[in-house]
Amino acid sequence: MGRLKFVLQTCLVLSLIGTSVASAQTYTCSQHKKSMDEIQLAPQDTYSGASAGFDLAPSPSLVKNACTAERDFFFSASMPEGSYTVSVTLGGPAAAITTVRAEARRLMLRKVSTAAGGERIESFTVNVRRPAITPGGQEVKRKPRELHSLNWDGKLTLEFAGDHPSVRKISIAPANKSLPTVYLAGDSTVVDQDNEPWAAWGQMLPSFFGPGVSIANNAESGETIRSFVGERRFDKIFSTIHAGDFLLMQFGHNDQKPGSGNVSTQDYAALLRKYIAMAREKGATPVLVTSMNRRTYDAVGHITDTLAPYPQVVRDVASSENVGLIDLNTLSKTLYEAVGEAKSRSMFVYADANTYPNQAEALHDDTHFNSYGAYELARCVVLGMQQAQLPLVKLLREPNIRFDPAHPDEPGAVALPVTPFFDLEKPYER
Protein backbone atom coordinates (compact mmCIF):
# COMPACT_ATOMS: atom_id res chain seq x y z
CA MET A 1 0.00 0.00 0.00
CA GLY A 2 3.02 2.28 0.28
CA ARG A 3 3.39 4.85 2.99
CA LEU A 4 0.42 6.56 4.62
CA LYS A 5 1.08 10.26 4.77
CA PHE A 6 -0.44 13.00 6.79
CA VAL A 7 0.15 16.64 6.00
CA LEU A 8 0.65 18.65 9.14
CA GLN A 9 -0.04 22.31 8.63
CA THR A 10 0.54 24.58 11.59
CA CYS A 11 -0.80 28.07 11.88
CA LEU A 12 -1.04 30.53 14.75
CA VAL A 13 -4.45 31.32 16.13
CA LEU A 14 -4.75 34.40 18.33
CA SER A 15 -6.54 33.73 21.57
CA LEU A 16 -9.36 36.06 22.56
CA ILE A 17 -7.67 36.43 25.94
CA GLY A 18 -4.46 38.46 25.98
CA THR A 19 -1.92 37.71 23.32
CA SER A 20 -1.45 33.97 23.85
CA VAL A 21 -1.42 31.75 20.80
CA ALA A 22 -2.32 28.15 20.03
CA SER A 23 -1.79 25.96 16.99
CA ALA A 24 -4.20 24.43 14.52
CA GLN A 25 -3.30 21.09 12.97
CA THR A 26 -4.51 19.56 9.73
CA TYR A 27 -3.87 15.90 8.92
CA THR A 28 -4.45 14.89 5.31
CA CYS A 29 -4.45 11.35 3.95
CA SER A 30 -2.24 11.70 0.88
CA GLN A 31 -0.39 9.53 -1.60
CA HIS A 32 2.19 12.21 -2.29
CA LYS A 33 4.29 14.48 -0.16
CA LYS A 34 3.13 18.08 -0.54
CA SER A 35 5.29 20.13 1.83
CA MET A 36 8.28 20.04 4.13
CA ASP A 37 5.88 19.99 7.08
CA GLU A 38 4.40 16.67 6.04
CA ILE A 39 4.44 13.85 8.60
CA GLN A 40 4.65 10.37 7.13
CA LEU A 41 3.08 7.46 9.00
CA ALA A 42 2.70 3.86 7.87
CA PRO A 43 -0.78 2.35 8.24
CA GLN A 44 0.53 0.10 10.98
CA ASP A 45 1.90 3.02 12.99
CA THR A 46 -0.02 3.68 16.18
CA TYR A 47 -0.60 6.65 18.43
CA SER A 48 2.26 7.18 20.84
CA GLY A 49 1.70 9.93 23.46
CA ALA A 50 4.00 12.33 21.64
CA SER A 51 2.33 12.35 18.24
CA ALA A 52 -0.95 11.84 16.46
CA GLY A 53 -1.81 8.52 14.86
CA PHE A 54 -4.17 5.59 14.61
CA ASP A 55 -5.22 4.14 17.91
CA LEU A 56 -7.16 1.36 19.68
CA ALA A 57 -7.92 -0.78 16.60
CA PRO A 58 -6.35 -1.83 13.28
CA SER A 59 -5.38 1.10 11.09
CA PRO A 60 -7.34 1.91 7.93
CA SER A 61 -5.95 1.54 4.45
CA LEU A 62 -4.83 4.43 2.28
CA VAL A 63 -6.74 4.33 -1.01
CA LYS A 64 -6.82 7.24 -3.44
CA ASN A 65 -6.08 9.92 -0.86
CA ALA A 66 -8.55 8.60 1.70
CA CYS A 67 -8.19 6.65 4.91
CA THR A 68 -10.82 3.94 4.57
CA ALA A 69 -11.73 0.62 6.18
CA GLU A 70 -14.41 -2.04 6.39
CA ARG A 71 -14.88 -1.46 10.11
CA ASP A 72 -14.22 1.10 12.84
CA PHE A 73 -10.91 2.88 13.04
CA PHE A 74 -9.68 5.45 15.53
CA PHE A 75 -7.44 8.51 15.35
CA SER A 76 -5.92 10.18 18.42
CA ALA A 77 -3.91 13.35 18.98
CA SER A 78 -2.43 14.58 22.26
CA MET A 79 -4.21 17.75 23.34
CA PRO A 80 -4.21 19.92 26.46
CA GLU A 81 -7.46 20.29 28.35
CA GLY A 82 -9.94 22.50 26.54
CA SER A 83 -12.42 22.56 23.67
CA TYR A 84 -11.42 21.96 20.06
CA THR A 85 -13.24 22.61 16.82
CA VAL A 86 -12.76 19.65 14.51
CA SER A 87 -13.38 19.70 10.77
CA VAL A 88 -13.43 16.42 8.88
CA THR A 89 -13.53 15.90 5.14
CA LEU A 90 -15.37 12.62 4.80
CA GLY A 91 -15.42 10.41 1.71
CA GLY A 92 -13.36 7.86 -0.13
CA PRO A 93 -13.08 5.78 -3.30
CA ALA A 94 -16.28 3.84 -2.52
CA ALA A 95 -19.69 5.08 -1.48
CA ALA A 96 -19.64 5.41 2.30
CA ILE A 97 -21.86 6.10 5.28
CA THR A 98 -19.65 7.40 8.06
CA THR A 99 -20.55 8.00 11.69
CA VAL A 100 -18.09 9.98 13.78
CA ARG A 101 -17.79 9.68 17.54
CA ALA A 102 -15.33 11.43 19.86
CA GLU A 103 -13.73 10.49 23.15
CA ALA A 104 -15.87 7.94 25.05
CA ARG A 105 -18.44 7.34 22.30
CA ARG A 106 -19.83 10.87 22.10
CA LEU A 107 -21.88 11.04 18.93
CA MET A 108 -20.72 13.91 16.75
CA LEU A 109 -21.93 13.06 13.25
CA ARG A 110 -24.59 10.44 12.49
CA LYS A 111 -24.50 8.47 9.25
CA VAL A 112 -23.03 11.00 6.80
CA SER A 113 -23.37 9.72 3.21
CA THR A 114 -20.75 10.31 0.53
CA ALA A 115 -20.79 9.08 -3.07
CA ALA A 116 -17.94 7.07 -4.57
CA GLY A 117 -15.04 9.48 -5.08
CA GLY A 118 -16.94 12.29 -3.38
CA GLU A 119 -16.42 14.20 -0.19
CA ARG A 120 -18.31 16.19 2.42
CA ILE A 121 -16.95 18.60 5.00
CA GLU A 122 -18.50 18.64 8.49
CA SER A 123 -17.45 20.38 11.71
CA PHE A 124 -18.10 19.93 15.42
CA THR A 125 -16.55 20.86 18.77
CA VAL A 126 -15.04 18.37 21.23
CA ASN A 127 -14.31 18.96 24.90
CA VAL A 128 -11.10 17.39 26.26
CA ARG A 129 -10.55 17.19 30.01
CA ARG A 130 -8.14 15.81 32.58
CA PRO A 131 -8.67 14.84 36.24
CA ALA A 132 -6.60 17.73 37.66
CA ILE A 133 -8.50 20.65 39.14
CA THR A 134 -6.72 23.97 38.90
CA PRO A 135 -6.03 26.04 40.82
CA GLY A 136 -5.54 23.93 43.94
CA GLY A 137 -3.81 20.83 42.65
CA GLN A 138 -6.60 18.42 43.56
CA GLU A 139 -8.15 15.81 41.25
CA VAL A 140 -11.58 14.41 40.54
CA LYS A 141 -12.10 11.23 42.58
CA ARG A 142 -12.61 8.80 39.75
CA LYS A 143 -14.14 5.36 40.01
CA PRO A 144 -12.08 2.36 38.85
CA ARG A 145 -14.04 2.20 35.58
CA GLU A 146 -12.97 5.76 34.78
CA LEU A 147 -9.23 5.24 35.15
CA HIS A 148 -8.82 4.10 31.55
CA SER A 149 -11.69 6.07 30.05
CA LEU A 150 -11.03 8.04 26.87
CA ASN A 151 -12.70 10.99 28.60
CA TRP A 152 -9.81 11.45 31.03
CA ASP A 153 -6.69 10.51 29.05
CA GLY A 154 -5.47 13.88 27.77
CA LYS A 155 -5.83 13.08 24.11
CA LEU A 156 -8.56 13.79 21.58
CA THR A 157 -9.82 10.55 20.04
CA LEU A 158 -12.07 10.26 16.99
CA GLU A 159 -13.85 7.08 15.88
CA PHE A 160 -14.90 6.56 12.26
CA ALA A 161 -17.53 3.84 11.85
CA GLY A 162 -20.24 2.65 9.48
CA ASP A 163 -20.35 1.35 5.91
CA HIS A 164 -16.85 1.83 4.40
CA PRO A 165 -16.05 4.64 6.88
CA SER A 166 -13.71 7.04 5.12
CA VAL A 167 -11.97 10.32 5.84
CA ARG A 168 -9.68 12.47 3.70
CA LYS A 169 -8.73 15.23 6.12
CA ILE A 170 -8.91 15.98 9.85
CA SER A 171 -8.36 19.53 11.11
CA ILE A 172 -8.18 20.29 14.83
CA ALA A 173 -8.01 23.82 16.24
CA PRO A 174 -8.60 25.36 19.68
CA ALA A 175 -12.23 26.45 19.86
CA ASN A 176 -13.02 30.13 19.92
CA LYS A 177 -13.04 31.28 23.55
CA SER A 178 -16.44 32.89 23.03
CA LEU A 179 -18.15 29.57 22.27
CA PRO A 180 -20.55 28.45 25.02
CA THR A 181 -19.84 25.21 26.85
CA VAL A 182 -22.73 23.09 28.07
CA TYR A 183 -21.70 21.26 31.25
CA LEU A 184 -23.68 18.14 32.13
CA ALA A 185 -23.90 16.96 35.74
CA GLY A 186 -25.74 13.70 36.33
CA ASP A 187 -25.70 9.92 36.66
CA SER A 188 -25.53 6.80 34.46
CA THR A 189 -28.51 7.92 32.39
CA VAL A 190 -26.53 11.03 31.33
CA VAL A 191 -22.88 9.88 31.29
CA ASP A 192 -20.76 9.05 28.25
CA GLN A 193 -21.06 5.25 28.48
CA ASP A 194 -17.70 3.90 27.30
CA ASN A 195 -18.87 0.51 26.06
CA GLU A 196 -21.63 -1.29 24.21
CA PRO A 197 -24.45 -2.05 24.72
CA TRP A 198 -24.89 0.84 27.16
CA ALA A 199 -25.62 4.44 26.19
CA ALA A 200 -27.01 7.62 27.73
CA TRP A 201 -28.54 10.82 26.43
CA GLY A 202 -25.57 13.05 27.29
CA GLN A 203 -23.31 11.31 24.78
CA MET A 204 -25.90 11.71 22.02
CA LEU A 205 -26.46 15.43 22.63
CA PRO A 206 -23.40 16.75 20.70
CA SER A 207 -24.77 15.43 17.40
CA PHE A 208 -27.65 17.89 17.55
CA PHE A 209 -25.37 20.93 17.72
CA GLY A 210 -23.00 22.45 15.23
CA PRO A 211 -19.43 23.56 15.97
CA GLY A 212 -20.68 26.61 17.88
CA VAL A 213 -21.26 24.62 21.11
CA SER A 214 -19.00 22.44 23.26
CA ILE A 215 -20.68 19.71 25.32
CA ALA A 216 -18.68 18.87 28.47
CA ASN A 217 -20.33 15.74 29.87
CA ASN A 218 -19.09 15.43 33.45
CA ALA A 219 -21.82 12.98 34.49
CA GLU A 220 -20.82 9.61 35.95
CA SER A 221 -22.57 6.34 36.79
CA GLY A 222 -23.85 5.90 40.33
CA GLU A 223 -23.87 9.58 41.21
CA THR A 224 -26.19 11.41 43.54
CA ILE A 225 -26.06 15.15 43.75
CA ARG A 226 -24.22 14.78 47.07
CA SER A 227 -21.62 12.29 45.79
CA PHE A 228 -21.06 14.62 42.82
CA VAL A 229 -19.96 17.15 45.41
CA GLY A 230 -17.84 14.72 47.43
CA GLU A 231 -15.98 13.40 44.39
CA ARG A 232 -15.10 16.98 43.39
CA ARG A 233 -17.02 16.74 40.13
CA PHE A 234 -18.75 20.06 40.77
CA ASP A 235 -15.32 21.48 41.70
CA LYS A 236 -14.06 20.36 38.30
CA ILE A 237 -16.94 22.03 36.49
CA PHE A 238 -16.61 25.27 38.43
CA SER A 239 -12.87 25.42 37.80
CA THR A 240 -13.52 26.02 34.10
CA ILE A 241 -17.10 27.29 33.71
CA HIS A 242 -17.37 30.86 32.42
CA ALA A 243 -19.91 33.54 31.68
CA GLY A 244 -22.08 32.47 28.76
CA ASP A 245 -21.82 28.76 29.58
CA PHE A 246 -24.65 26.47 30.68
CA LEU A 247 -24.96 23.95 33.52
CA LEU A 248 -27.55 21.17 33.09
CA MET A 249 -28.18 19.10 36.24
CA GLN A 250 -30.11 15.82 36.29
CA PHE A 251 -30.06 13.64 39.41
CA GLY A 252 -32.63 11.58 41.30
CA HIS A 253 -32.26 7.94 40.24
CA ASN A 254 -29.66 7.21 42.92
CA ASP A 255 -30.59 9.96 45.39
CA GLN A 256 -33.91 8.26 46.14
CA LYS A 257 -32.44 4.86 47.02
CA PRO A 258 -32.46 3.86 50.71
CA GLY A 259 -29.21 3.43 52.59
CA SER A 260 -26.17 5.55 53.31
CA GLY A 261 -26.22 7.15 49.86
CA ASN A 262 -29.78 8.44 50.15
CA VAL A 263 -30.24 12.18 49.70
CA SER A 264 -33.33 13.56 51.40
CA THR A 265 -35.61 15.77 49.35
CA GLN A 266 -34.67 18.71 51.59
CA ASP A 267 -30.94 18.22 50.98
CA TYR A 268 -31.60 17.54 47.31
CA ALA A 269 -33.41 20.86 46.89
CA ALA A 270 -30.79 22.73 48.93
CA LEU A 271 -27.93 21.41 46.79
CA LEU A 272 -29.76 22.26 43.58
CA ARG A 273 -30.21 25.81 44.86
CA LYS A 274 -26.54 26.02 45.87
CA TYR A 275 -25.27 25.15 42.42
CA ILE A 276 -27.87 27.30 40.71
CA ALA A 277 -26.50 30.25 42.70
CA MET A 278 -22.88 29.32 41.97
CA ALA A 279 -23.55 29.05 38.24
CA ARG A 280 -25.19 32.45 38.25
CA GLU A 281 -22.24 33.94 40.14
CA LYS A 282 -20.02 32.74 37.29
CA GLY A 283 -22.34 34.30 34.71
CA ALA A 284 -23.45 30.87 33.50
CA THR A 285 -27.03 29.73 32.96
CA PRO A 286 -28.28 26.88 35.19
CA VAL A 287 -30.89 24.50 33.78
CA LEU A 288 -32.62 21.72 35.72
CA VAL A 289 -33.60 18.40 34.15
CA THR A 290 -36.07 16.00 35.77
CA SER A 291 -35.05 12.34 35.69
CA MET A 292 -36.54 10.20 32.94
CA ASN A 293 -38.87 7.41 33.98
CA ARG A 294 -37.85 3.81 34.35
CA ARG A 295 -39.43 1.18 32.11
CA THR A 296 -42.31 0.32 34.45
CA TYR A 297 -45.81 -0.12 32.96
CA ASP A 298 -49.12 -0.77 34.64
CA ALA A 299 -51.77 -3.20 33.40
CA VAL A 300 -53.17 -0.74 30.85
CA GLY A 301 -49.86 0.42 29.39
CA HIS A 302 -49.24 3.57 31.39
CA ILE A 303 -45.88 4.35 32.97
CA THR A 304 -45.86 4.08 36.76
CA ASP A 305 -44.01 6.70 38.78
CA THR A 306 -41.02 5.14 40.56
CA LEU A 307 -39.10 8.39 41.14
CA ALA A 308 -41.54 10.44 43.22
CA PRO A 309 -41.17 12.92 44.78
CA TYR A 310 -37.81 13.89 43.24
CA PRO A 311 -39.02 15.11 39.82
CA GLN A 312 -41.54 17.36 41.52
CA VAL A 313 -38.82 18.73 43.80
CA VAL A 314 -36.89 19.70 40.66
CA ARG A 315 -39.95 21.39 39.17
CA ASP A 316 -40.58 23.31 42.39
CA VAL A 317 -36.96 24.49 42.64
CA ALA A 318 -36.96 25.53 39.00
CA SER A 319 -40.10 27.55 39.58
CA SER A 320 -38.96 29.20 42.81
CA GLU A 321 -35.49 29.98 41.46
CA ASN A 322 -36.77 31.06 38.04
CA VAL A 323 -34.44 28.76 36.10
CA GLY A 324 -35.01 26.84 32.90
CA LEU A 325 -36.59 23.40 33.25
CA ILE A 326 -36.36 20.42 30.92
CA ASP A 327 -39.10 18.09 32.13
CA LEU A 328 -37.60 14.86 30.87
CA ASN A 329 -39.72 12.91 33.34
CA THR A 330 -42.90 14.01 31.57
CA LEU A 331 -41.43 13.77 28.07
CA SER A 332 -40.12 10.24 28.69
CA LYS A 333 -43.56 9.13 29.93
CA THR A 334 -45.06 10.27 26.64
CA LEU A 335 -42.26 8.57 24.71
CA TYR A 336 -42.46 5.22 26.51
CA GLU A 337 -46.23 5.05 26.29
CA ALA A 338 -46.10 5.85 22.58
CA VAL A 339 -43.61 3.04 22.00
CA GLY A 340 -45.62 0.65 24.16
CA GLU A 341 -44.49 -1.95 26.66
CA ALA A 342 -43.83 -4.71 24.14
CA LYS A 343 -41.61 -2.61 21.87
CA SER A 344 -40.00 -0.52 24.58
CA ARG A 345 -37.34 -3.17 25.18
CA SER A 346 -35.80 -1.95 21.92
CA MET A 347 -34.80 1.25 23.79
CA PHE A 348 -33.23 -0.42 26.81
CA VAL A 349 -30.43 -2.91 27.38
CA TYR A 350 -32.26 -6.14 26.64
CA ALA A 351 -30.34 -8.90 24.88
CA ASP A 352 -30.62 -12.65 24.61
CA ALA A 353 -27.66 -14.71 25.79
CA ASN A 354 -24.73 -14.76 23.35
CA THR A 355 -25.78 -11.53 21.64
CA TYR A 356 -22.42 -10.04 22.60
CA PRO A 357 -19.00 -11.64 23.03
CA ASN A 358 -18.72 -13.81 26.18
CA GLN A 359 -22.30 -13.05 27.18
CA ALA A 360 -23.53 -16.30 28.75
CA GLU A 361 -26.67 -14.83 30.30
CA ALA A 362 -29.44 -12.63 28.99
CA LEU A 363 -29.34 -8.91 29.76
CA HIS A 364 -32.42 -7.07 30.94
CA ASP A 365 -32.30 -3.55 32.33
CA ASP A 366 -35.28 -1.23 32.75
CA THR A 367 -33.21 1.86 33.62
CA HIS A 368 -30.26 2.00 31.20
CA PHE A 369 -30.50 2.60 27.48
CA ASN A 370 -28.97 1.29 24.31
CA SER A 371 -27.99 3.74 21.58
CA TYR A 372 -31.51 3.94 20.14
CA GLY A 373 -33.11 4.73 23.49
CA ALA A 374 -30.39 7.22 24.41
CA TYR A 375 -30.81 8.99 21.08
CA GLU A 376 -34.58 9.32 21.56
CA LEU A 377 -34.03 10.68 25.09
CA ALA A 378 -31.55 13.20 23.70
CA ARG A 379 -34.22 14.31 21.24
CA CYS A 380 -36.53 14.83 24.21
CA VAL A 381 -33.84 16.95 25.92
CA VAL A 382 -33.49 19.09 22.81
CA LEU A 383 -37.27 19.50 22.71
CA GLY A 384 -37.14 20.56 26.35
CA MET A 385 -34.54 23.19 25.45
CA GLN A 386 -36.88 24.49 22.76
CA GLN A 387 -39.85 24.52 25.12
CA ALA A 388 -37.80 26.44 27.69
CA GLN A 389 -36.63 28.83 24.95
CA LEU A 390 -32.99 28.45 25.92
CA PRO A 391 -30.60 30.56 23.81
CA LEU A 392 -28.83 27.30 22.93
CA VAL A 393 -31.56 26.35 20.48
CA LYS A 394 -30.23 28.92 18.01
CA LEU A 395 -27.08 26.79 17.74
CA LEU A 396 -28.84 23.53 16.88
CA ARG A 397 -27.97 21.99 13.52
CA GLU A 398 -31.69 21.95 12.73
CA PRO A 399 -33.26 24.61 15.00
CA ASN A 400 -36.66 24.51 13.30
CA ILE A 401 -37.24 20.78 13.75
CA ARG A 402 -39.18 19.73 16.85
CA PHE A 403 -39.30 16.15 18.05
CA ASP A 404 -42.68 14.74 18.98
CA PRO A 405 -42.22 12.06 21.68
CA ALA A 406 -45.70 10.80 20.91
CA HIS A 407 -44.37 9.83 17.46
CA PRO A 408 -40.84 8.51 18.06
CA ASP A 409 -38.35 7.36 15.44
CA GLU A 410 -38.33 3.76 14.39
CA PRO A 411 -35.25 1.89 15.67
CA GLY A 412 -33.98 1.24 12.13
CA ALA A 413 -34.04 4.94 11.31
CA VAL A 414 -31.72 5.70 14.23
CA ALA A 415 -29.53 2.58 14.29
CA LEU A 416 -25.89 3.46 14.90
CA PRO A 417 -22.79 1.40 14.13
CA VAL A 418 -21.72 -0.73 17.05
CA THR A 419 -18.45 0.28 18.72
CA PRO A 420 -16.05 -2.69 19.07
CA PHE A 421 -15.80 -2.34 22.87
CA PHE A 422 -18.19 -4.22 25.14
CA ASP A 423 -18.88 -4.43 28.85
CA LEU A 424 -21.48 -6.84 30.17
CA GLU A 425 -21.39 -5.38 33.68
CA LYS A 426 -24.27 -3.09 34.53
CA PRO A 427 -23.27 0.56 35.07
CA TYR A 428 -22.39 1.33 38.67
CA GLU A 429 -25.37 2.19 40.89
CA ARG A 430 -25.75 3.18 44.53
Side-chain angles (χ1 to χ4, degrees), residues 68-377:
T68 185
E70 295 300 316
R71 53 158 300 159
D72 301 39
F73 62 93
F74 296 78
F75 176 86
S76 292
S78 295
M79 292 289 168
E81 182 170 271
S83 291
Y84 295 87
T85 297
V86 179
S87 178
V88 290
T89 303
L90 302 176
I97 301 176
T98 304
T99 289
V100 181
R101 298 184 182 96
E103 301 292 85
R105 295 173 64 227
R106 297 179 208 160
L107 183 63
M108 296 293 165
L109 300 173
R110 184 175 70 92
K111 298 195 289 191
V112 178
S113 298
T114 49
E119 63 181 45
R120 180 169 166 181
I121 300 173
E122 296 283 355
S123 298
F124 48 86
T125 298
V126 180
N127 180 262
V128 174
R129 69 175 185 266
R130 299 194 182 196
I133 302 170
T134 54
Q138 294 184 318
E139 288 194 353
V140 173
K141 295 181 180 179
R142 292 171 292 163
K143 297 180 175 66
R145 58 157 267 164
E146 297 179 85
L147 298 180
H148 303 289
S149 172
L150 295 175
N151 277 347
W152 294 107
D153 61 1
K155 62 183 178 182
L156 193 164
T157 298
L158 301 175
E159 174 191 3
F160 299 89
D163 299 329
H164 303 292
S166 303
V167 62
R168 298 183 183 278
K169 183 183 296 185
I170 302 169
S171 296
I172 303 172
N176 190 307
K177 296 290 185 181
S178 66
L179 295 186
T181 297
V182 179
Y183 291 87
L184 305 183
D187 53 33
S188 59
T189 62
V190 185
V191 69
D192 292 339
Q193 293 286 0
D194 297 72
N195 300 307
E196 300 283 354
W198 317 94
W201 67 256
Q203 69 194 115
M204 301 295 170
L205 193 61
S207 66
F208 295 93
F209 288 94
V213 175
S214 177
I215 307 294
N217 191 353
N218 286 59
E220 177 50 38
S221 294
E223 294 302 306
T224 66
I225 192 169
R226 186 162 55 208
S227 68
F228 212 82
V229 177
E231 294 171 9
R232 304 191 186 107
R233 298 181 192 274
F234 273 124
D235 288 346
K236 179 64 179 177
I237 290 174
F238 281 93
S239 71
T240 56
I241 198 168
H242 292 101
D245 293 340
F246 294 78
L247 172 61
L248 273 61
M249 294 183 281
Q250 183 220 285
F251 296 95
H253 273 274
N254 297 306
D255 305 71
Q256 68 163 193
K257 293 178 180 177
S260 60
N262 176 263
V263 180
S264 70
T265 54
Q266 293 82 3
D267 289 347
Y268 186 70
L271 286 168
L272 287 174
R273 290 192 173 95
K274 175 181 178 178
Y275 288 102
I276 287 170
M278 288 180 62
R280 284 172 165 165
E281 287 174 3
K282 289 280 191 176
T285 300
V287 180
L288 300 186
V289 185
T290 57
S291 295
M292 75 291 291
N293 282 281
R294 297 185 176 95
R295 183 185 171 273
T296 54
Y297 291 82
D298 64 18
V300 294
H302 295 305
I303 289 294
T304 61
D305 188 355
T306 66
L307 289 160
Y310 289 82
Q312 190 56 48
V313 171
V314 175
R315 297 182 188 107
D316 292 344
V317 171
S319 177
S320 64
E321 298 294 328
N322 192 29
V323 300
L325 174 70
I326 297 173
D327 198 347
L328 190 55
N329 185 264
T330 296
L331 294 170
S332 65
K333 183 177 189 295
T334 301
L335 174 67
Y336 299 170
E337 291 178 357
V339 174
E341 182 176 12
K343 293 183 178 181
S344 62
R345 291 187 179 190
S346 65
M347 301 178 65
F348 292 80
V349 178
Y350 271 75
D352 294 335
N354 302 312
T355 300
Y356 301 104
N358 303 314
Q359 180 209 345
E361 299 181 358
L363 298 175
H364 55 276
D365 190 314
D366 292 318
T367 298
H368 298 106
F369 309 97
N370 57 24
S371 291
Y372 165 56
Y375 188 84
E376 296 299 276
L377 263 295

